[in-house]
Amino acid sequence: GAGVSQSPSNKVTEKGKDVELRCDPISGHTALYWYRQSLGQGLEFLIYFQGNSAPDKSGLPSDRFSAERTGGSVSTLTIQRTQQEDSAVYLCASSLEGSNEQFFGPGTRLTVL
Amino acid sequence: DQQVKQNSPSLSVQEGRISILNCDYTNSMFDYFLWYKKYPAEGPTFLISISSIKDKNEDGRFTVFLNKSAKHLSLHIVPSQPGDSAVYFCAADLTGNQFYFGTGTSLTVIP
């Protein structure tokens, strides 16, 4: 079956612009996570959605970052007024409720010039 | 602060020998640990996990060992194969919804 997909695969933007990154989780997976991996760093947790519960936004680094999940499926991560330090690979993962095993998408490589 | 640490950024092993990848953590409340494998330009894929109530979990060529008193876990791959060459991430789960990842160890298995 289809895995987690993310779009775009690459995004180059200018400092100060807004960007939207999209994640399509595996059908039936109620949990969805966003992470980012900056150069030389580990995966940094950003936000977690579980079903209809309020999302866990504790990992978002600033109020320029926001995410939503419509209809319990597709999720969009929005970064407003991008900064150069936002350059990273943004990874989305989904899992079944109650499972620790996350399935990752291929990531979106964001470059802010 | 990095709650999960992988202090070796890279490791080279001869094909057929054992690969040992190490991971240290600081939070004694972590109750589940996972290893992920990542190939270039792909997302990480789940490899093996262990609950904090166990000290060993084995799956084929892969074994994870957990030493809670030392806050240390390791992944053993034996025998190592060239296809095992990838970046390996250690991860720890705190509440069931917040995972902390290490910085990864790049394993190269030399044919």
Side-chain angles (χ1 to χ4, degrees):
Chain A
V4 177
S5 61
Q6 292 185 244
S7 60
S9 55
N10 278 284
K11 176 71 177 178
V12 180
T13 191
E14 293 179 349
K15 178 181 172 182
K17 302 279 191 180
D18 298 351
V19 294
E20 283 190 354
L21 312 179
R22 176 187 168 107
C23 172
D24 283 87
I26 293 173
S27 178
H29 281 194
T30 56
L32 187 147
Y33 307 77
W34 281 98
Y35 296 88
R36 73 175 175 182
Q37 185 178 17
S38 304
L39 192 64
Q41 302 297 314
L43 289 163
E44 176 189 4
F45 167 78
L46 296 177
I47 188 169
Y48 162 73
F49 295 90
Q50 173 59 58
N52 295 321
S53 302
D56 178 352
K57 304 179 182 180
S58 59
L60 294 178
S62 78
D63 59 8
R64 296 186 296 105
F65 288 72
S66 63
E68 61 178 26
R69 188 177 184 192
T70 53
S73 181
V74 172
S75 178
T76 303
L77 177 69
T78 301
I79 309 173
Q80 296 178 307
R81 305 181 303 282
T82 53
Q83 303 294 313
Q84 288 183 331
E85 61 263 27
D86 299 334
S87 297
V89 176
Y90 289 81
L91 288 155
C92 173
S94 70
S95 69
L96 290 167
E97 183 174 3
S99 172
N100 295 93
E101 184 179 344
Q102 298 176 43
F103 294 81
F104 283 81
T108 294
R109 180 175 295 280
L110 174 66
T111 303
V112 182
L113 301 176
Chain B
D1 63 335
Q2 194 76 22
Q3 297 198 45
V4 176
K5 298 178 184 179
Q6 293 176 257
N7 293 318
S8 298
S10 63
L11 175 68
S12 290
V13 171
Q14 206 72 34
E15 179 178 5
R17 306 295 287 268
I18 185 171
S19 296
I20 301 175
L21 297 102
N22 294 303
C23 179
D24 297 292
Y25 59 96
T26 58
N27 193 334
S28 58
M29 298 300 291
F30 287 139
D31 60 3
Y32 204 81
F33 303 88
L34 309 94
W35 284 94
Y36 283 82
K37 176 179 178 180
K38 185 182 183 304
Y39 292 116
E42 295 182 11
T45 55
F46 171 77
L47 190 58
I48 193 170
S49 63
I50 188 168
S51 164
S52 63
I53 63 173
K54 294 187 175 182
D55 54 19
K56 177 182 175 181
N57 188 27
E58 189 172 353
D59 183 3
R61 297 185 298 112
F62 302 90
T63 303
V64 56
F65 294 92
L66 175 63
N67 182 336
K68 288 193 294 293
S69 61
K71 297 194 183 71
H72 177 83
L73 69 157
S74 60
L75 174 68
H76 292 209
I77 307 173
V78 55
S80 300
Q81 299 174 354
D84 296 330
S85 297
V87 177
Y88 290 79
F89 289 96
C90 166
D93 175 18
L94 187 60
T95 62
N97 63 303
Q98 190 157 140
F99 290 78
Y100 295 82
F101 284 79
T103 51
T105 296
S106 177
L107 173 66
T108 301
V109 179
I110 304 163

